[in-house]
Amino acid sequence: MKYINTNFIFQKAILLSTIGLLMACNSNSKVVKTAEVTVPEKPNVLFILVDDLGYADLSIMGSKFYETPNIDKIAKTGTVFTDGYAACTVCSPSRASLMTGQYPARHGITQFEGKRNSGQAWKERKRYTKLLPPEYRDHLDTSTTTIAEAFKENGYATFFAGKWHLGGKAQGSLPTDHGFDVNIGGYDAGGPSGGYFSPYNNPYLTNLPEEKGLNLSMKLAQETNDFITKNKDGHFLAYLSFYAVHGGIQTTKEKWTKYRNKAEKMGIHETGFEMERVLPARKYQDNPVYAGLIEHVDEAIGTVMKTLKDLNLDKNTIVVFTSDNGGVTSGDNFSTNQLTLRGGKGYQWEGGTRVPYFIDVPWIKQTGASIQVPVSGVDLYPTLLDLSGLSLKPEAHKDGVSLKPLLLGENIDDRPLYWHYPHYGNQGGEPSSIIRKGKWKLIYYWENLNAELYNLEADLGERNDVAASNPEIVEQMQTQLLDWLKSMDTHYAKVDTEWDQAARKKWLERQKTKSLPAQEKQRKKMLSPDWQPNKDWWGSEVKINNIK
């Protein structure tokens, strides 16, 4: 484990973990032992989850285009886990892992909820893939004790706001079925069905007349502020789960203008996309609508942090900030680029799983510490229990470990991290399983039963597959991965015995000849001075009065 007290920026070839250029007065910072601090009894917890936010989609994580001062403050006062990962490359599996402390291979939700993406139903989508993805659990099972239930058992008021996507009313799997006292806006939808401005078209979210045009992220923040205020004299777990920055992306004309002009000042490239294996991928961070959407989230988070401070709760509230998967470089709205990292949401490479991962514990003097130990979303459940002085529930969070020792300057046992995604992603990902051990990362592909091996210390961008020159490492890691999968009793994709290889080749060629030019055309339109989006979301320009 390494601690570094300088700023965290991207270099041309490798991402270096340094946190100091953006963080003042960190030269003497240190992490102190438990005996030297006074831990509040039953501290509060604010868990902030942003949907589809990429590892490099924050200014503190290297972006020169996006502006996120409020989120940056969480990292500056807390700890940045530079090798922090989501448990899956897409949302529902990762979100279930945050709730349960279990890997997707164990809890059974291996693909996003919604339209089925397995077997014959997948084949009817005419992607012409070699494999047919397996069936998977379509909602969060109530048999497992969630993080919300664990805190509720200990006398905490529990609150959920935003995107749930782990089942709905029909399945008996709303947030209130899993330990949350209050649910604002969470159901089985994976995106903002009514867009990002009121009225929201969400059955669990009010649409007040005076809120017309209010952006959704601020609405969720206001509801969170109200909950915190009402429970300021008790103990609470507030889980703020933004729908942003999921597609379809929207912002205001004011913010679009700001970032469109910024893109022009930075220099607009003639071409903005390149082909990955399957789909076009965005090459640069230059999407002004996406940038504006990120700023909406940052402003909303700023109001919640201000509420904690105004109520004098900032000294006894643990704050977690993370994302459910990587940023969208391909598919959906082709919104962003992850700089040094390869791929994004849905992909098996680092851009699909490595995410912003910050923990701020006020009574531990972190002040921008950086920890380079690989950690996963499954670890946050036991970590928050441990930091709150509550008993762990190893029978529930079976795959997660407490990161409290790391925050206190100590160590945790070395361990591998695992991923299992036996599906084809909408963003270009392939059915695969992954193991990371130390600097090594092995990706096992189910189409050809072959593996790629990357040395992440030397090749964070995963451009140099070194499997051929390291057969012993491949054999050892592959065996360990397959043995682990067998112990999970999980499900796998199967070969389509009627696979039309020629049709698949034609489909892939169309992505080059049609999808790529279409994305280039859309990008140029969005960056042109006279661009006009859908007419239904400029209404956010209306001044909102009497909004708390």
Side-chain angles (χ1 to χ4, degrees):
M1 178 185 66
K2 300 178 182 178
Y3 283 89
I4 303 175
N5 292 324
T6 53
N7 189 29
F8 183 74
I9 59 175
F10 282 88
Q11 300 296 337
K12 292 182 179 179
I14 187 168
L15 185 66
L16 300 177
S17 303
T18 58
I19 300 183
L21 295 178
L22 295 178
M23 299 180 183
C25 304
N26 287 344
S27 59
N28 296 318
S29 67
K30 62 180 180 179
V31 177
V32 298
K33 300 293 184 180
T34 307
E36 300 173 7
V37 299
T38 301
V39 180
E41 182 182 0
K42 289 187 176 180
N44 303 311
V45 176
L46 171 62
F47 195 118
I48 303 172
L49 180 64
V50 184
D51 191 34
D52 290 355
L53 184 76
Y55 187 68
D57 285 349
L58 303 173
S59 51
I60 200 166
M61 302 298 281
S63 178
K64 302 300 182 184
F65 189 55
Y66 310 130
E67 298 177 14
T68 54
N70 295 298
I71 298 171
D72 294 350
K73 288 179 182 177
I74 299 173
K76 291 176 184 179
T77 58
T79 293
V80 175
F81 288 82
T82 63
D83 293 41
Y85 290 95
C88 188
T89 67
V90 296
C91 55
S92 296
S94 175
R95 289 166 178 270
S97 293
L98 293 172
M99 284 289 128
T100 64
Q102 299 177 11
Y103 285 122
R106 186 185 298 276
H107 60 60
I109 302 175
T110 55
Q111 177 65 303
F112 63 86
E113 301 305 307
K115 185 177 180 180
R116 302 301 287 183
N117 291 288
S118 56
Q120 189 62 31
W122 169 257
K123 189 172 182 178
E124 290 171 359
R125 296 182 64 178
K126 299 186 182 301
R127 303 288 181 89
Y128 306 106
T129 57
K130 181 179 180 179
L131 303 181
L132 296 178
E135 296 292 328
Y136 56 95
R137 191 183 300 277
D138 67 354
H139 64 279
L140 186 61
D141 196 302
T142 56
S143 64
T144 300
T145 301
T146 67
I147 186 173
E149 290 169 327
F151 274 89
K152 187 173 181 178
E153 288 172 2
N154 284 277
Y156 279 70
T158 55
F159 169 88
F160 184 91
K163 177 175 172 176
W164 177 244
H165 209 201
L166 293 173
K169 183 177 180 180
Q171 298 137 317
S173 189
L174 290 169
T176 46
D177 297 308
H178 294 282
F180 289 102
D181 299 321
V182 180
N183 170 35
I184 304 295
Y187 63 122
D188 54 1
S193 57
Y196 280 106
F197 300 102
S198 179
Y200 308 112
N201 191 28
N202 182 318
Y204 297 92
L205 200 58
T206 60
N207 290 281
L208 302 178
E210 65 269 24
E211 292 179 337
K212 184 177 181 181
L214 179 66
N215 83 73
L216 177 58
S217 296
M218 189 60 74
K219 169 67 171 179
L220 296 174
Q222 289 176 355
E223 295 284 356
T224 305
N225 291 335
D226 288 345
F227 169 80
I228 290 173
T229 301
K230 291 176 183 177
N231 291 275
K232 62 184 177 62
D233 297 322
H235 313 289
F236 62 79
L237 164 67
Y239 202 104
L240 175 53
S241 175
F242 290 100
Y243 277 95
V245 289
H246 192 284
I249 56 174
Q250 297 174 329
T251 190
T252 62
K253 184 175 182 180
E254 178 185 14
K255 292 193 187 303
W256 168 79
T257 301
K258 170 185 174 179
Y259 287 102
R260 186 265 159 202
N261 292 341
K262 185 173 184 178
E264 184 174 55
K265 185 176 180 180
M266 292 175 66
I268 298 175
H269 297 269
E270 179 62 27
T271 60
F273 288 87
E274 61 186 354
M275 287 300 300
E276 249 302 348
R277 286 185 183 169
V278 177
L279 295 178
R282 199 175 194 96
K283 294 167 63 175
Y284 311 107
Q285 293 185 346
D286 61 359
N287 186 327
V289 175
Y290 186 70
L293 184 56
I294 287 177
E295 188 171 303
H296 285 302
V297 173
D298 186 75
E299 291 171 344
I301 290 173
T303 70
V304 180
M305 301 307 291
K306 184 178 184 299
T307 294
L308 290 177
K309 186 173 182 179
D310 289 347
L311 296 174
N312 199 30
L313 296 174
D314 55 323
K315 297 299 188 292
N316 71 328
T317 301
I318 302 165
V319 179
V320 168
F321 178 90
T322 193
S323 174
D324 60 348
N325 48 247
V328 183
T329 60
S330 299
D332 301 348
N333 281 111
F334 296 82
S335 300
T336 189
N337 172 274
Q338 294 308 300
L339 305 181
T340 300
L341 303 185
R342 184 177 181 183
K345 177 183 178 181
Y347 280 110
Q348 57 273 14
W349 299 298
E350 291 291 280
T353 53
R354 195 180 285 223
V355 292
Y357 196 117
F358 312 150
I359 302 177
D360 185 9
V361 187
W363 53 94
I364 299 177
K365 300 184 185 301
Q366 303 159 286
T367 57
S370 169
I371 296 179
Q372 296 171 308
V373 177
V375 297
S376 169
V378 299
D379 299 325
L380 288 170
Y381 182 166
T383 299
L384 289 172
L385 288 180
D386 204 5
L387 289 170
S388 301
L390 306 178
S391 298
L392 298 186
K393 290 183 171 293
E395 74 285 356
H397 48 74
K398 296 179 180 179
D399 299 313
V401 302
S402 173
L403 305 180
K404 180 179 176 180
L406 295 178
L407 294 167
L408 296 174
E410 300 166 357
N411 296 308
I412 61 174
D413 293 337
D414 290 337
R415 57 175 179 154
L417 297 182
Y418 296 102
W419 293 264
H420 180 55
Y421 186 62
H423 306 275
Y424 292 93
N426 289 342
Q427 303 79 21
E430 303 161 61
S432 59
S433 300
I434 302 169
I435 178 173
R436 176 173 176 183
K437 292 183 65 177
K439 67 181 181 181
W440 297 108
K441 175 181 175 180
L442 180 137
I443 306 173
Y444 186 78
Y445 290 90
W446 292 103
E447 275 196 351
N448 54 22
L449 306 183
N450 286 336
E452 294 173 351
L453 180 69
Y454 298 101
N455 179 345
L456 296 181
E457 286 185 1
D459 178 29
L460 189 59
E462 295 170 288
R463 300 295 177 181
N464 183 26
D465 175 12
V466 296
S469 56
N470 294 276
E472 292 182 358
I473 294 175
V474 170
E475 182 180 4
Q476 186 274 328
M477 292 184 69
Q478 182 172 306
T479 298
Q480 186 172 0
L481 172 63
L482 296 179
D483 285 347
W484 176 80
L485 287 169
K486 185 177 180 180
S487 73
M488 292 292 101
D489 192 27
T490 189
H491 35 248
Y492 306 89
K494 297 180 179 179
V495 174
D496 181 358
T497 57
E498 300 176 340
W499 179 44
D500 188 337
Q501 187 172 6
R504 176 63 174 177
K505 186 176 180 179
K506 290 181 180 179
W507 186 90
L508 291 172
E509 187 63 26
R510 286 198 300 273
Q511 308 315 306
K512 296 179 183 179
T513 59
K514 294 186 177 181
S515 180
L516 180 62
Q519 292 304 320
E520 293 284 13
K521 183 178 180 181
Q522 173 63 19
R523 171 179 172 268
K524 289 181 178 179
K525 283 184 176 181
M526 190 177 288
L527 285 166
S528 65
D530 58 352
W531 178 69
Q532 290 292 326
N534 295 333
K535 62 182 180 180
D536 61 341
W537 54 279
W538 271 177
S540 58
E541 290 183 282
V542 176
K543 297 297 181 183
I544 308 300
N545 298 315
N546 302 318
I547 301 299
K548 292 174 286 185

